[in-house]
Amino acid sequence: MTTDASAPWLVVGLGNPGPGYADNRHNVGFMVADLLAERVGGSFKRAQKAQAQVIEGRIGPPGPAGRRVVLAKPSSYMNLSGGPVVALRDFYKVPVERIVAVHDELDIDYGTLRLKLGGGDNGHNGLKSMTKAMGPGYHRVRFGIGRPPGRMQVADFVLKDFSSAERKELAYFVDRAADAVEALVTEGLERAQSAYNS
């Protein structure tokens, strides 16, 4: 399938809306999207055609080498992310291989990144909803949050804020994840993987 060279990339930070969830582990995708928004120099606005907050801009080097990008944060809850993403895909005419989901990942150590194209959802409700809505052929930037301690339930763990020890390094890891998204969009998956997969 040939991709329209003028089509933008759609970078979707996954999370739950509202201040009560803002600092949860499950919302690290929103944190990365917020940092990318700062870098493109804009603020999120309500999308006209989708239940999401969006910002349009360019990432990468200034000028024609920069890539058009739509940054998005669905305004639905995590398990309903697919609907807003599909609406944005259709509105901006984004091929599925130019969609990037940034999300928390339980099976990776805290702060570790893994970039990939396609694959399963590994029990992640946001990915499950996206895959059900449009198939699995989108990119993922997986941000490791580690496993819950002791007998804590996964649902409780992901909806808790990062610990004080984790917060000491959180800004660094979010910054690195934003760098990884930029590398993926501007340099391609293989180069981004070799630089950021650890």
Side-chain angles (χ1 to χ4, degrees), residues 58-101:
R58 286 188 176 270
I59 59 178
R67 296 280 190 273
R68 277 183 67 213
V69 67
V70 178
L71 304 172
K73 299 191 296 184
S75 306
S76 63
Y77 284 97
M78 177 75 85
N79 60 349
L80 299 172
S81 301
V85 175
V86 166
L88 292 169
R89 176 200 69 184
D90 294 348
F91 181 71
Y92 289 103
K93 299 179 172 54
V94 181
V96 70
E97 68 273 16
R98 286 201 177 181
I99 297 174
V100 183

Side-chain angles (χ1 to χ4, degrees), residues 104-122:
D104 58 305
E105 179 64 63
L106 284 161
D107 288 337
I108 305 175
D109 290 341
Y110 173 60
T112 300
L113 295 176
R114 293 266 197 290
L115 284 69
K116 70 175 189 171
L117 175 63
D121 57 55
N122 204 20

Side-chain angles (χ1 to χ4, degrees), residues 16-34:
N16 285 306
Y21 296 102
D23 297 320
N24 290 179
R25 292 181 177 92
H26 222 18
N27 271 42
V28 74
F30 275 15
M31 296 174 197
V32 175
D34 286 338

